[in-house]
């Protein structure tokens, strides 16, 4: 069987145009216009949504719940590969380490050649009865629901995805021989014919290396992957001629440089219709450092924080890697996530937002540990229940942080999708793919979301919200109304917090832009924002504009002038560290606002570079009343007499006697409130002083550098 790869697509379009000319002569220009619009639709941006078979179980999200008007393709996940009469993956590292007998749509065991595509879950795929089904119809379940959905939306195409993370264990074996490649290709044709689908998607994770440790691997996977795809293309080409239809072949690819090295992407791109690049899962709970699930661009701060693979694990780098490997831009469909990934026990860090910090675990998530549906985040987390939304303007993604629990969540929302859609257009890519449909804003047993749907944002911005092809509807040019009621809700010497009344739009408002003195200062999804990095005792003028899914901006709100507070700089009684100064054990010095204590004789060792085994140890932030540098008598930092910071006598900071910082006797700082310090276990109700102010502990915790009272309102309340 000889293949013409995908060059035949252009020939087919030329033939179609010839047929359209015949239509004009036979039926007139009106019919021609309708037929031409159909071909334009085919060439429009693709919006490919994955529907996981298990969505119809606990998530209670069914095929009938899908808005097919906003999609071009649905990838049904997943079918599996039969090998020696069974399918599944027994690898203990698999999320579902089980195997099953290979079965048909009736649940009967079948004897098929190794490499045959089979149903992944026969009951939910083809046996469960939905409204309108009868007991004796041969195919029910999700697959029949997809047939009915396509009848409702004739433009919609369905594709069977084979493999995925859990079921990629046999791909290397299938691709290794001519016989198994042919068995796989024939079964692909049989499957899409039987279940009235429009194509097949190979989700091999991954050739040569990567994926679950128990998967089969070969160095020859690099070439064999190409051979397998070519064989499938050959069989699909023959089926197209026999059936009078067009069948699609795609793959899901990784965005990592390793994937590009382990695959012949230039050859593959000539065979397949497009490549769905999985530009997400760059970071997650498998690492102990908080970072972003799907950053659009490199954030140099991530590199500086030693986030693993930060320079290459971002969307732009992944796309560029495919382009450099020879994949045409129009054959790259960009992956975007309808979910976020989270960590717990993350330190606030220098900015108090938990970004790029060491963490201790993963939160419960919506349906699985560490993973949150977008609908759940929008309903229960974004600026709610102690979570604050932040925006990384380098990576172009939002994130959430709860200072009390140390929970950090990286996710995508309408604002980040707007940036990614603009990226798709600027790069000339083929469209967007997302995982997965049930994660969007909706009502479920875990959350009730009534806000903007991510699918609506994709459809509106890629295809004007009117179906699958550009130009199929008039673009939305109506801007939202201007926000009103702009007011100050709080301010410090370096920040201003604002809120305003929501704007309205003919379709939906997706976010707001806050301007400071006429320049964009922040983009947010809700009706509040905190603008930081300001100068003390300085007047700024703020305005706000609303933005809709089409990118239209409203007129500006009425301007609001705000003057920041006067900065209070407390005196530090500890001398600055000097490179030429000799320090002996017990001597103290301050460097970058932090007090350090020498463990032994040292000269020229910078305190912040000392480390655990170096000459310096951290005492805490420099605040008024921290004590003398070297004194051994009254008030000395290391003295055992009255007022010694570490002494047990009267006035000792940790002592129980009169005047101790945690005591109630004479001489105690600020009526018994001790100076805040890192590494101290604080309990509810404890009072501390910091930068000249007194704070009350709201939640028991052990303090860390970066958790200063002025930056963690969830832990400390100003007295």
């Amino acid at each position: 069987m000889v293949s013409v790869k995908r060059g035949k697509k252009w020939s087919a379009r030329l033939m179609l145009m010839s047929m359209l000319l015949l239509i004009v002569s036979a039926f007139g220009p009106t019919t021609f216009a309708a037929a031409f619009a159909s071909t334009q639709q085919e060439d429009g941006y693709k919006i490919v949504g994955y529907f996981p078979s298990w969505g119809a179980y606990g998530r209670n999200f069914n095929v009938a719940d899908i808005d097919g008007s906003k999609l071009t393709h649905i990838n049904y996940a997943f079918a599996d590969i039969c090998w020696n009469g069974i399918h599944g993956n027994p690898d203990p590292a698999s999320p579902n380490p089980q195997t099953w007998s290979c079965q048909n749509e009736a649940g009967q065991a079948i004897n098929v050649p190794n490499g045959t595509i089979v149903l992944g879950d026969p009951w939910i795929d083809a046996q469960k009865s939905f409204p309108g089904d009868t007991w004796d119809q041969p195919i029910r379940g999700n697959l029949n629901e997809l047939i009915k959905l396509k009848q409702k939306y004739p433009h919609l195409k369905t594709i069977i995805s084979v493999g995925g993370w859990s079921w990629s264990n046999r791909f290397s074996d299938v691709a290794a021989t001519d016989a198994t490649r042919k068995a796989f290709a024939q079964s692909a044709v049989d499957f899409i014919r039987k279940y009235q689908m429009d194509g097949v998607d190979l989700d091999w994770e991954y050739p040569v290396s990567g994926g679950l440790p128990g998967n089969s691997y070969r160095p020859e996977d690099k070439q064999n992957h190409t051979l397998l795809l070519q064989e499938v293309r050959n069989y699909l080409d023959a089926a197209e001629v026999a059936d009078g239809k067009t069948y699609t072949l795609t793959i899901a690819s990784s965005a990592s440089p390793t994937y590009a090295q382990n695959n012949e992407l230039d050859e593959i791109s000539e065979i397949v219709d497009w490549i769905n690049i999985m530009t997400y899962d760059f970071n997650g709970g498998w690492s102990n450092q908080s970072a972003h699930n799907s950053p659009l661009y490199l954030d140099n701060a991530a590199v500086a924080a030693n986030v693993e693979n930060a320079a290459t694990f971002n969307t732009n780098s992944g796309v560029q890697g495919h382009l450099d490997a020879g994949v045409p831009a129009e054959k790259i469909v960009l992956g975007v996530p309808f979910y976020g990934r989270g960590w717990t026990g993350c330190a606030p860090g220098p900015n108090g937002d938990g970004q790029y910090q060491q963490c201790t675990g993963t939160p419960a998530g919506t349906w699985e540990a560490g993973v949150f549906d977008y609908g759940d985040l929008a309903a229960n987390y974004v600026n709610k229940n102690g979570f604050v939304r932040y925006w990384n303007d380098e990576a172009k993604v939002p994130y959430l942080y709860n200072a009390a629990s140390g929970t950090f969540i990286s996710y995508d929302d309408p604002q980040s999708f707007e940036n990614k859609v603009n990226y798709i257009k600027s790069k000339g890519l083929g469209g967007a793919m997302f995982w997965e449909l049930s994660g969007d804003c909706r009502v479920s047993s875990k959350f009730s979301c009534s806000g903007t749907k991510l699918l609506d944002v994709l459809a509106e911005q890629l295809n004007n919200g009117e179906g699958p092809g550009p130009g199929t509807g008039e673009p939305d040019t109506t801007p939202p109304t201007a926000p009103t009621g702009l007011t100050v809700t709080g301010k410090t010497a370096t920040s201003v917090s604002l809120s305003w009344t929501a704007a309205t739009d003919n379709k939906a408002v997706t976010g707001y832009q806050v301007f400071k003195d006429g320049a964009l200062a922040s983009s947010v999804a809700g009706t509040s924002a905190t603008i930081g990095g300001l100068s003390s005792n300085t007047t700024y003028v703020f305005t706000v504009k609303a933005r809709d899914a089409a990118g239209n901006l409203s007129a500006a709100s009425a301007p609001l002038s705000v003057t920041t507070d006067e900065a209070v700089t407390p005196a530090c009684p500890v001398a600055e560290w000097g490179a030429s100064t000799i320090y002996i054990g017990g001597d103290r010095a301050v460097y970058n606002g932090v007090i350090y204590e020498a463990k032994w004789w040292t000269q020229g060792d910078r305190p912040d570079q000392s480390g655990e085994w170096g000459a310096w140890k951290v005492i805490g932030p420099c605040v008024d009343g921290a004590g003398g540098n070297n004194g051994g008598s009254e008030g000395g930092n290391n003295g055992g007499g009255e007022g010694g910071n570490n002494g047990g006598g009267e006035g000792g900071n940790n002592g129980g006697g009169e005047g101790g910082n945690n005591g109630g006797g004479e001489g105690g700082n600020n009526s018994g409130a001790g100076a805040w310090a890192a590494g101290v276990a604080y309990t509810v109700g404890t009072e501390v002083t910091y930068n000249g102010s007194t704070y009350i502990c709201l939640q028991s915790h052990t303090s860390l550098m970066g958790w200063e009272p002025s930056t963690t309102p969830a832990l400390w309340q100003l007295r």
Side-chain angles (χ1 to χ4, degrees), residues 249-312:
L249 175 61
T250 65
I251 65 167
S253 73
S254 166
S256 75
T258 301
Y259 186 89
Q261 295 166 6
N262 288 343
N263 290 273
E264 299 174 317
L265 285 176
D266 54 343
E267 289 289 318
I268 288 173
S269 66
E270 293 184 25
I271 299 169
V272 301
D273 289 275
W274 68 82
I275 295 173
N276 297 305
I277 180 171
M278 295 184 286
T279 39
Y280 40 70
D281 294 339
F282 288 119
N283 296 284
W286 52 87
S287 169
N288 62 357
Q289 186 176 18
S290 61
H292 293 293
N293 178 39
S294 182
L296 178 54
Y297 295 110
L298 166 66
D299 178 13
N300 287 314
V303 177
N306 295 317
V307 173
E308 188 175 5
N309 298 314
T312 55

Side-chain angles (χ1 to χ4, degrees), residues 511-554:
Y512 297 88
Q513 294 183 347
V514 183
F515 294 82
K516 178 192 70 179
D517 294 338
L520 181 64
S522 179
S523 294
V524 297
T527 56
S528 63
T530 297
I531 311 301
L534 307 179
S535 300
S536 64
N537 195 28
T538 303
T539 300
Y540 297 93
V541 177
F542 296 96
T543 57
V544 179
K545 295 181 180 179
R547 183 187 65 247
D548 65 16
N552 299 309
L553 282 178
S554 73

Side-chain angles (χ1 to χ4, degrees), residues 51 105 176 180 185 190 196 201 214 239 267 304 326 357 366 386 403 405 498 515 519 579 597 621 632 684 698 702 709:
F51 179 85
E105 65 275 7
T180 48
D190 294 341
Q196 301 180 40
D201 171 66
E267 289 289 318
Q357 300 302 306
T366 306
S405 63
L498 305 166
F515 294 82
E597 184 175 283
V684 175
L698 300 178
T702 298

Side-chain angles (χ1 to χ4, degrees), residues 412-467:
D412 272 78
D413 68 0
Q415 182 182 356
S416 62
F417 270 30
E418 179 181 339
N419 282 274
K420 289 180 178 180
V421 167
N422 290 338
Y423 181 85
I424 289 169
K425 293 178 178 179
S426 69
K427 289 285 188 178
L429 307 186
M433 170 275 292
F434 61 89
W435 181 274
E436 43 86 11
L437 281 154
S438 74
D440 209 350
C441 185
R442 66 184 182 96
V443 176
S444 78
S445 61
K446 295 291 186 74
F447 57 86
S448 180
C449 178
S450 59
T452 301
K453 295 180 181 293
L454 294 180
L455 177 55
D456 290 349
V457 175
L458 288 180
E460 184 70 42
Q461 296 197 15
L462 279 174
N463 296 322
N464 302 321
E466 298 289 347

